Amino acid sequence: MEKLKVGVIGAGKMGLLHSGIFNSLDNSMLKSVSDKDRFITNAIKSYLPGVAVHQDYEDMINKEDLDIVVITTPVFLHRRMIEDSMNQGLTIFVEKPLALSGLECQSILNKNYNKPTLVGYCRRFMETYNLAKKIIDSEELGKVNYFTSHMYVSQIFRQGKGWLYNPKMSGGGALIDLGSHAIDLFHYLFGDISTIHAFAKTVFNKEVEDYLSANLLFEDRALGSLQVSWSIRNYRLPELKIDIHLENGVITVTEKYITIYSEINDGLIKKGWTTYYKQELKKDVPMNIAGPEYTLEDLHLLDCILNSKKTICDFNEAAKTNFVIDRIYSSIENESIEKMNYEV
Amino acid sequence: MDLILGHNQFIGISHISEEKGIDLQKRFFDTVNIYKVVETAADLGYKNMIIETHPKMLDFLNYYLENRTFDMDFYLQVPNIQGYIHKMNEKGFSGLFLELAQRDGIKALSGMALKNVMNLAKKNYFSMAASALQLEVSPFMDVNIKALLLHNVSTDLLLSLQIKNAFTEYLGYVKENLKLNPGFISLNFKLFKDSFNKWGLQEPLVMTPVNPKGFDMNPSQGEVELAIRDYRGEIIAMNILGGGAFSVEETNGYLRRFDNIKHCVIGASSKKHLQEIIHILSNSYEDFG
């Protein structure tokens, strides 16, 4: 089988990561990279003579014979790049979040695009969260009553520099950059949200929130809370920790481990406490550069292309996170309790 | 079996949980506490230690040089990836290299107009990278460095893109200019070995995960086991205890299957654990040998 040809827009950290992964997988190859920064494109030219380099992404998607486009640029550029890639009929992978706002997502969804799409909410590909999903979906511990959660990292303790801290370019602060992972995972684990009440605080950045607290009521009546911040000291890596209280037990899950407390002895689950570390739950991947989840994500996209399947986080699914984020920001701005309306 | 003391615990990295990572940060906030653990390890017979170009490790090294109540050799891991990623997020690639170029260490470039620095950089990426490497390594050169180990994110990214030149340039520069033994860290041992064989390069020193559960033995435990068996370079086994997820006994039984693994890294931070590990891993190897 001929390899699927990949073009990457944006050769930053995530762009290089996906370039490397797709280039090393059996069914795909890196064909082209585009980036405005000549420094990086010239470096790619000198070290990867087989990869076509463009300064302008439109040149790349118009001129190169590509199957997949990978968009890893700042979020304010996503919508235009996605819509241009749709016009070329490409399979589209875009790093999270899908777009700046629900309005932009609506524009993307209105195209009714029927090629595979995937948004890089990588926690869907981490085995600890997937085990939590399996237990919740099986209802072996009953229904979810309540959860608390935090998403923290030590990133900002002074005014941040760059597009990430300009709301016109980023869509917001800690919530959209970091907390979007949590919101997406809530959709994956708990389903749709019905009601939101949130507060935020700005300390280090002038224009975007550094701390945020949200209460969420789900359509199946589960109640949850989320604390998000990129200004929590001593969190070297981002951590999304969720304590999930079910009818017959408790699940605590992070990127690194899952602890299950069960009051029943049933099938997969033993009565009492059980902890699994990611090291024990691992899945083999053909290439691991910065975590197996990124490879699993890219393999999933290839599998969906080759077998004509929908991905588990396509544009419709990922847009839901943008819609929720919009409502959280409305709740903060208007000091209101917001009803969710997924315009998907 | 030569046991090498790992350093992750000293900079607050835990592969088990962030809570444990924070506990480690508290415990090793004071450099003296790092020194005491390393001293205990040295007393128990550990002769080598991994460090990386991280500010905390530099503090430790300076303290070690001032006090030096024991002898230890070091493997130095470069670059400090987290630091670079943080800067790159803020400033982009150009900004990052500009900052590197403007640091005092790169004399030839200091005082140049920004535009000229960028033009120079565009013409010779390797010399820029080499200068950055030299700058990063230089504060750590007052101790005996047994080898320089290229961080797995760098190694594996270059491997995934099959950039042979970057490997040959790194090997040459570290040997010729830094006068150090070059090595690599990789989570993709099979591809690493296959690539060096394909490129006709000698199989170099490599640190790679080897453990009973096959964690980070990519693409699969079986394929990595086969590749290890006929590797002619030196191998340092890492992640042998999965950050504490696997028992020492289980790991010992597994490592005994490979007679060409002579070194392994362990990440203990208490006397009891250091003793248990050296007792089980070293003794068994003596029995085995």
Side-chain angles (χ1 to χ4, degrees), chain A residues 283-323:
Chain A
K283 267 190 184 164
D284 285 340
V285 287
M287 181 81 204
N288 181 358
I289 301 176
E293 60 274 16
Y294 302 108
T295 311
L296 291 168
E297 196 172 60
D298 293 353
L299 281 168
H300 174 66
L301 183 64
L302 295 175
D303 177 46
C304 290
I305 297 169
L306 297 171
N307 296 299
S308 308
K309 292 190 293 191
K310 271 180 67 170
T311 69
I312 61 166
C313 195
D314 63 10
F315 288 174
N316 282 292
E317 181 68 10
K320 287 171 25 181
T321 293
N322 273 100
F323 296 136

Side-chain angles (χ1 to χ4, degrees), chain B residues 193-227:
Chain B
K193 178 181 184 296
D194 290 349
S195 301
F196 273 75
N197 293 163
K198 185 177 81 185
W199 295 331
L201 299 173
Q202 206 181 344
E203 292 172 345
L205 167 67
V206 61
M207 184 160 106
T208 195
V210 187
N211 54 65
K213 294 274 167 36
F215 175 64
D216 264 339
M217 294 172 71
N218 302 304
S220 70
Q221 190 174 28
E223 286 171 274
V224 171
E225 286 176 358
L226 284 176

Side-chain angles (χ1 to χ4, degrees), chain A residues 76-261:
Chain A
F76 68 96
L77 299 166
H78 284 186
R79 185 193 59 76
R80 215 183 102 206
M81 290 172 170
I82 289 169
E83 292 180 0
D84 288 342
S85 301
M86 285 173 164
N87 291 336
Q88 295 298 327
L90 300 172
T91 289
I92 306 168
F93 175 99
V94 60
E95 265 307 334
K96 62 89 212 169
L98 174 57
L100 273 180
S101 64
L103 201 65
E104 283 202 343
C105 290
Q106 203 61 66
S107 163
I108 293 167
L109 298 182
N110 284 344
K111 307 276 179 199
N112 293 318
Y113 198 56
N114 58 11
K115 288 275 175 75
T117 60
L118 179 65
V119 179
Y121 284 112
C122 58
R123 279 166 179 74
R124 288 184 182 233
F125 296 89
M126 292 185 179
E127 294 312 306
T128 50
Y129 299 113
N130 270 314
L131 181 54
K133 180 170 172 57
K134 199 171 160 188
I135 297 167
I136 293 167
D137 288 352
S138 74
E139 296 196 357
E140 283 190 56
L141 292 181
K143 290 196 182 305
V144 174
N145 286 329
Y146 172 72
F147 72 86
T148 58
S149 67
H150 70 230
M151 179 107 202
Y152 291 155
V153 72
S154 305
Q155 183 175 323
I156 285 296
F157 298 98
R158 58 184 162 84
Q159 172 69 51
K161 288 178 194 160
W163 66 270
L164 200 52
Y165 310 101
N166 175 348
K168 289 192 181 74
M169 294 172 147
S170 62
L175 175 65
I176 194 164
D177 179 49
L178 191 64
S180 53
H181 279 293
I183 307 285
D184 174 68
L185 207 70
F186 296 163
H187 284 126
Y188 189 51
L189 297 178
F190 310 125
D192 287 351
I193 294 165
S194 67
T195 312
I196 291 166
H197 191 203
F199 299 93
K201 188 172 166 112
T202 292
V203 176
F204 302 103
N205 288 292
K206 288 190 188 77
E207 292 186 274
V208 295
E209 77 284 355
D210 297 310
Y211 301 96
L212 186 139
S213 173
N215 284 321
L216 309 164
L217 189 62
F218 286 73
E219 282 182 356
D220 69 356
R221 311 310 294 165
L223 174 65
S225 74
L226 169 65
Q227 311 299 318
V228 182
S229 178
W230 52 24
S231 305
I232 302 292
R233 290 193 165 82
N234 304 318
Y235 279 79
R236 196 182 63 89
L237 295 175
E239 180 187 69
L240 171 57
K241 183 178 182 185
I242 319 174
D243 281 305
I244 307 161
H245 299 263
L246 301 104
E247 288 169 311
N248 300 312
V250 184
I251 299 169
T252 299
V253 63
T254 74
E255 290 80 357
K256 293 179 176 172
Y257 70 92
I258 174 168
T259 296
I260 304 149
Y261 168 73

Side-chain angles (χ1 to χ4, degrees), chain B residues 11-36:
Chain B
I11 56 174
I13 297 175
S14 164
H15 294 298
I16 291 291
S17 71
E18 292 308 311
E19 292 98 319
K20 195 176 168 202
I22 292 170
D23 285 345
L24 290 166
Q25 288 181 46
K26 282 183 208 161
R27 188 170 158 205
F28 295 115
F29 177 73
D30 191 341
T31 309
V32 179
N33 293 336
I34 302 177
Y35 187 82
K36 282 181 185 162

Side-chain angles (χ1 to χ4, degrees), chain A residues 175 192-199 214-219 221 322-343:
Chain A
L175 175 65
D192 287 351
I193 294 165
S194 67
T195 312
I196 291 166
H197 191 203
F199 299 93
N215 284 321
L216 309 164
L217 189 62
F218 286 73
E219 282 182 356
R221 311 310 294 165
N322 273 100
F323 296 136
V324 169
I325 288 170
D326 280 2
R327 294 272 72 76
I328 292 178
Y329 284 138
S330 296
S331 172
I332 294 162
E333 200 176 325
N334 305 321
E335 297 188 355
S336 58
I337 293 173
E338 295 281 322
K339 287 280 179 196
M340 261 318 294
N341 172 23
Y342 291 97
E343 293 134 275

